[in-house]
Amino acid sequence: MKRRFSLLCICLLSIQMLFATQPNDGDKKRDSFRGKKPKYVFYFIGDGFGLSQSNATEAYMAAVNDSEGIQKLAMNTFPIQGLYTTYAQNQFITGSAAAGTALSTGNKTSIGTIGMDASKQKPFKTIAEKARDKGYRVGIVSSVSLNHATPASFYAHQPSRGRYYDISVDMGKSQFNFFGGGGIMHPEGDGKSNKKNKAANIGMAGNKKIKGKKENSLKLAEKQGYTIVNTNEAFHAIKSGDDKIIAINETLAGGQSLPNGIDQKEGDLSLGDYTQKAIEVLENKKGFFLMVEGGKIDWACHANDAVTAINEVIQFDQAIQKAIAFYHEHPKETLIVVCGDHETGGLTLGFSGSHYKSNFKLLENQKNSNGVFNAELKKLKKQDASFDAVLQAVRKNYGFDGEEKSTKLSEYELAQLKQAYNESFDKGEQIANKDQYYQLYGAIDPITITASHILAQKAGIGWTTFSHTATPIPVRAMGPGSTLFNGYFDNTDLPKNIEMLMKL
């Protein structure tokens, strides 16, 4: 009996070892690929960007143009569409650092880790660094700070995404040819301002004063040969052939980010503008690698702000259209890959109160993002404004109680707003249970989040969380090598595909 049991164990172990040494489907596809390889590679990452965010945007665009169904985003016209899993090494629901590292290096890591293994000891070389070392020009563009988790994952190697200063120093050391978009978080040292601070990671917390300031990381970048550009005039003066540019937007919103699309004013630069400028700087005979992050999709979804999220997806798609225009000039040499690091918010296209009905056109009534409305609420708090005064501000920003019946606030919705007012302005009985408070309001002002939820629900949209989810993410691709992105695989396969195609 013991002998038979031992033989069984040996057989099982042999089978396990056999499967462990077999290449996965992604490896097989890469090994068998014989197609033409690209010279120019665009890698678009929508932070927090899942299938629901994409489809909600298409439904919204159709609704505001008085059409039925959807109006397709440019990215959703790509011939290749696939799906992939996003889990981290130590957690099923990933974070932006672990997901960014998977998408930049082809390796799983632990939550919060940038460009290193899960033990936070071994650095992983990124596809951007490999492209640089092979003579490709390299660019990084983001709508959030350039040392935020996703862009950082392409040039930095740090045990924590919260080490903003050290990450920004790594940026200058990278010798990449172009950085553009947001600013730098904590360029003179981190202090203690971001430890376990969820709001800081989504641009809703300011920098605290720090002791023992270090040398400004942008000054260090200048010593590495970079030119810092931070005005619209200087941005427009950047031309083909310029090198080692860090272009920071003249107008920055919370978290050193570009203003949300819904809040942008005439003359403000967009993610598409930075993408186009990166193309002008990077284009050369050898080729280039350009990563563009639509980072504020994630921030809007953390805030359960459907309207702002949709506008950020539109901005992201407009940036992708710049790459498509380049593709049409170089169709045999250009690969465009569009993906997301994870989904945020648990966005659902349906709500129990609206049953099978949707009214996406209602979303057009919102005037500003939750972040801008929060700033208005702060002014009202200083005045100790009455509920009626606050309600008037809510009506104005979210378009409630207009001429259309669908905009009318019900008694139940008014009661929700009154409770939120009591919480926000510290009036009346408060929710003592912290978990219950978070489930209702997250890290956002109670009035803002309640108003945003009510508008979304009237449109037929629901939210399940203020955090990330583990739903598989779609990838779209076009150009030489794009067939590798067809199917169902893991996030680590995306950079492996790109690395093989670019011969890195």
Side-chain angles (χ1 to χ4, degrees), residues 365-383:
N365 293 335
Q366 185 172 323
K367 301 295 187 295
N368 296 110
S369 68
N370 280 0
V372 168
F373 187 68
N374 275 343
E376 185 175 346
L377 280 177
K378 286 181 180 179
K379 294 177 183 177
L380 290 170
K381 283 183 182 180
K382 287 181 179 179
Q383 302 166 14

Side-chain angles (χ1 to χ4, degrees), residues 86-95 97-99 101-102 106-113 116-120 124 490-492:
T86 64
Y87 59 91
Q89 184 164 328
N90 63 335
Q91 194 168 285
F92 185 54
I93 298 177
T94 194
T101 298
N107 294 285
K108 296 287 188 185
T109 192
S110 51
I111 297 298
T113 307
M116 303 182 78
D117 70 346
S119 70
K120 306 178 188 293
F124 295 129
D490 187 62
N491 57 4
T492 54

Side-chain angles (χ1 to χ4, degrees), residues 193-504:
S193 58
N194 284 290
K195 287 189 176 180
K196 298 182 180 180
N197 190 342
K198 294 178 182 178
N201 289 334
I202 58 172
M204 291 191 177
N207 294 350
K208 294 183 179 179
K209 291 183 178 179
I210 56 174
K211 297 177 181 178
K213 288 184 179 181
K214 300 177 183 179
E215 185 173 0
N216 190 292
S217 56
L218 287 174
K219 295 292 184 185
L220 289 173
E222 286 181 321
K223 291 179 180 179
Q224 297 280 352
Y226 281 93
T227 298
I228 312 300
V229 170
N230 55 16
T231 67
N232 287 359
E233 183 180 2
F235 172 85
H236 290 301
I238 299 170
K239 60 187 183 301
S240 176
D242 287 347
D243 193 24
K244 296 183 73 175
I245 303 292
I246 298 176
I248 295 173
N249 205 51
E250 182 175 303
T251 303
L252 293 171
Q256 297 289 299
S257 65
L258 301 186
N260 286 305
I262 191 175
D263 302 323
Q264 285 177 9
K265 297 176 174 59
E266 188 176 353
D268 281 346
L269 297 174
S270 68
L271 188 65
D273 293 322
Y274 280 97
T275 302
Q276 182 59 48
K277 187 61 71 176
I279 293 170
E280 294 170 14
V281 170
L282 298 177
E283 187 175 1
N284 71 101
K285 291 181 180 180
K286 171 69 177 178
F288 65 69
F289 171 86
L290 173 61
M291 191 288 292
V292 179
E293 183 204 19
K296 299 196 79 171
I297 302 168
D298 175 70
W299 293 11
C301 290
H302 274 294
N304 286 186
D305 186 348
V307 182
T308 299
I310 285 169
N311 276 276
E312 289 306 304
V313 173
I314 291 171
Q315 295 260 314
F316 186 52
D317 198 57
Q318 288 170 347
I320 293 165
Q321 290 174 41
K322 303 295 184 182
I324 294 172
F326 183 88
Y327 167 87
H328 287 307
E329 294 176 3
H330 310 273
K332 296 181 180 180
E333 300 176 302
T334 305
L335 170 66
I336 307 173
V337 178
V338 180
C339 64
D341 58 350
H342 52 72
E343 194 277 339
T344 300
L347 177 65
T348 59
L349 307 187
F351 171 66
S352 59
S354 58
H355 305 287
Y356 292 97
K357 294 181 180 179
S358 301
N359 189 352
F360 283 86
K361 194 172 177 62
L362 271 181
L363 301 176
E364 195 176 22
N365 293 335
Q366 185 172 323
K367 301 295 187 295
N368 296 110
S369 68
N370 280 0
V372 168
F373 187 68
N374 275 343
E376 185 175 346
L377 280 177
K378 286 181 180 179
K379 294 177 183 177
L380 290 170
K381 283 183 182 180
K382 287 181 179 179
Q383 302 166 14
D384 195 26
S386 66
F387 173 65
D388 287 340
V390 171
L391 183 59
Q392 185 58 33
V394 168
R395 285 173 174 145
K396 182 179 178 182
N397 193 64
Y398 296 93
F400 296 136
D401 291 332
E403 294 182 3
E404 294 181 32
K405 184 180 178 181
S406 57
T407 68
K408 302 297 181 184
L409 289 168
S410 68
E411 290 299 318
Y412 174 64
E413 290 163 344
L414 285 168
Q416 287 179 298
L417 286 167
K418 183 61 185 292
Q419 175 61 37
Y421 169 80
N422 290 340
E423 293 289 346
S424 179
F425 279 66
D426 197 23
K427 306 278 185 180
E429 189 174 343
Q430 304 294 293
I431 295 174
N433 187 303
K434 289 183 180 180
D435 289 337
Q436 184 184 357
Y437 182 94
Y438 181 80
Q439 287 175 28
L440 284 172
Y441 308 122
I444 318 300
D445 186 280
I447 298 167
T448 304
I449 199 66
T450 301
S452 190
H453 278 175
I454 290 170
L455 179 61
Q457 290 162 7
K458 285 180 178 295
I461 291 174
W463 297 94
T464 66
T465 180
F466 297 105
S467 302
H468 301 169
T469 67
T471 58
I473 299 298
V475 58
R476 299 93 164 163
M478 66 186 297
S482 60
T483 54
L484 286 174
F485 299 89
N486 186 34
Y488 181 49
F489 39 88
D490 187 62
N491 57 4
T492 54
D493 283 306
L494 274 69
K496 289 175 183 177
N497 289 346
I498 294 172
E499 179 175 343
M500 186 276 289
L501 290 170
M502 295 182 75
K503 300 181 179 180
L504 304 181

Side-chain angles (χ1 to χ4, degrees), residues 140-190:
I140 303 292
V141 169
S142 178
S143 58
V144 298
S145 67
L146 294 170
N147 56 342
H148 212 257
T150 302
S153 296
F154 284 82
Y155 63 80
H157 307 277
Q158 296 293 337
S160 171
R161 61 173 292 173
R163 290 190 175 185
Y164 288 110
Y165 178 78
D166 293 333
I167 289 169
S168 65
V169 171
D170 282 348
M171 187 176 81
K173 292 176 180 178
S174 73
Q175 298 296 295
F176 290 176
N177 306 92
F178 183 85
F179 289 92
I184 303 297
M185 289 279 286
H186 304 279
E188 296 180 332
D190 298 313

